[in-house]
């Protein structure tokens, strides 16, 4: 990982604070959707290399359900909303108001519910980041896929043509009554956008 891509601990702490704001918005939306009190905890916010990505989700052959979105506007990049299959079915049960364990097969309706959840979370996070940085960002229509973890990251590498060496990883945990759902949210900014974001944070918070 290139040193110029590394964010300091203070800069990452600021990104974590932004994430907490976005999570608060997502909690409200999901609570309204499910009729239950939803709590989303960000257990970790950090930058990781592409090479170590698969290990964060359980290994390169781990079957995952993922939603992919492109970020456009003043900052450009990609978003990934990723859950291991066992976590994804719990999340689908939750948002579709099913009993825990009801979802066995993931069909079009279940994929749609998962996609909508990713849309809510991603939109909330990007909205918070956009306001903090005072930049305009929009995301594309979400695309959902089930595959092995390594296949997902290989696809993203092709999409961004390796214009970034590392990605911003946000580990999430959703708590709702007896639900215990762990997943990942990732943002991969193009190199120029990542440097612009770093500069804005440093100037706004007087870190230099």
């Amino acid at each position: 990982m290139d040193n110029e891509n590394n964010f300091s601990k203070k800069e990452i702490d600021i990104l974590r604070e932004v994430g907490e704001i976005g999570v608060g918005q997502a909690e409200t939306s999901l609570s309204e959707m499910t009729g239950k009190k939803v709590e989303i905890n960000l257990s970790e916010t950090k930058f990781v290399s592409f090479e170590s990505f698969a290990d964060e989700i359980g290994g390169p052959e781990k079957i995952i359900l993922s939603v992919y979105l492109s970020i456009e506007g003043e900052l450009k990049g990609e978003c990934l909303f990723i859950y291991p299959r066992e976590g994804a079915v719990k999340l689908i049960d939750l948002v579709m108001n099913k009993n825990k364990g009801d979802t066995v097969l993931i069909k079009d309706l279940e994929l749609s519910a998962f996609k909508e959840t990713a849309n809510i979370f991603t939109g909330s996070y990007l909205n918070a980041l956009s306001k903090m940085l005072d930049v305009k960002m929009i995301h594309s229509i979400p695309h959902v896929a089930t595959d092995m973890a390594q296949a997902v990251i290989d696809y993203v590498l092709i999409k961004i043509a390796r214009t970034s060496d590392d990605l911003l990883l946000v580990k999430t945990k959703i708590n709702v009554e007896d639900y215990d759902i762990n997943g990942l949210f990732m943002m991969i900014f193009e190199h120029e956008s990542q440097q612009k974001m770093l500069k804005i944070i440093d100037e706004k918070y007087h870190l230099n």
Side-chain angles (χ1 to χ4, degrees):
M1 188 183 303
D2 296 336
N3 289 333
E4 63 178 350
N5 283 341
N6 290 344
F7 279 49
S8 69
K9 183 179 182 302
K10 287 185 178 179
E11 290 156 351
I12 291 177
D13 285 344
I14 290 169
L15 289 175
R16 180 180 176 84
E17 289 177 13
V18 174
E20 295 286 357
I21 295 171
V23 159
Q25 296 172 356
E27 284 177 340
T28 299
S29 296
L30 290 176
S31 293
E32 292 174 352
M33 179 189 294
T34 63
K36 299 178 181 179
K37 183 179 179 181
V38 176
E39 293 182 353
I40 306 175
N41 299 315
L42 302 186
S43 60
E44 192 172 16
T45 300
K46 63 181 180 180
F47 280 87
V48 299
S49 67
F50 282 111
E51 289 76 13
S52 62
F53 157 77
D55 294 333
E56 297 286 345
I57 201 67
E61 296 183 356
K62 184 76 171 180
I63 299 299
I64 61 175
L65 193 60
S66 64
V67 173
Y68 163 87
L69 310 96
S70 294
I71 306 169
E72 298 294 338
E74 294 178 63
L75 296 180
K76 301 181 185 297
E78 318 294 335
C79 286
L80 281 168
F81 184 82
I82 298 173
Y83 278 77
R85 192 186 186 284
E86 57 270 24
V89 294
K90 290 181 183 179
L91 188 57
I92 290 168
D93 284 341
L94 172 63
V95 299
M96 293 186 71
N97 293 309
K98 295 182 178 183
N99 293 321
K100 187 177 178 181
D102 278 359
T103 299
V104 178
L105 298 177
I106 302 177
K107 299 180 180 180
D108 289 346
L109 194 59
E110 286 77 16
L111 289 177
S112 179
F114 186 78
K115 187 188 298 185
E116 178 60 21
T117 307
N119 211 28
I120 290 171
F121 189 95
T122 303
S124 297
Y125 194 101
L126 286 179
N127 183 56
L129 185 61
S130 179
K131 287 182 178 179
M132 187 274 281
L133 298 176
D134 194 23
V135 298
K136 292 182 179 179
M137 288 187 289
I138 57 173
H139 62 76
S140 68
I141 296 172
H143 302 281
V144 64
T146 301
D147 212 329
M148 291 189 294
Q150 192 60 52
V152 171
I153 199 60
D154 287 346
Y155 172 75
V156 173
L157 284 171
I158 294 171
K159 287 288 292 183
I160 65 170
R162 294 182 179 272
T163 56
S164 179
D165 294 320
D166 37 281
L167 51 87
L168 175 63
L169 178 148
V170 180
K171 289 189 175 181
T172 67
K173 183 173 183 179
I174 300 176
N175 295 314
V176 182
E177 298 176 1
D178 60 339
Y179 289 84
D180 185 10
I181 309 169
N182 294 290
L184 297 176
F185 174 66
M186 298 182 179
M187 300 184 72
I188 310 165
F189 289 102
E190 292 181 0
H191 180 76
E192 182 178 338
S193 293
Q194 186 164 301
Q195 294 307 302
K196 181 177 181 179
M197 181 171 66
L198 179 59
K199 182 179 180 182
I200 293 172
I201 291 173
D202 288 347
E203 291 177 350
K204 185 169 184 176
Y205 293 91
H206 309 291
L207 298 183
N208 286 332

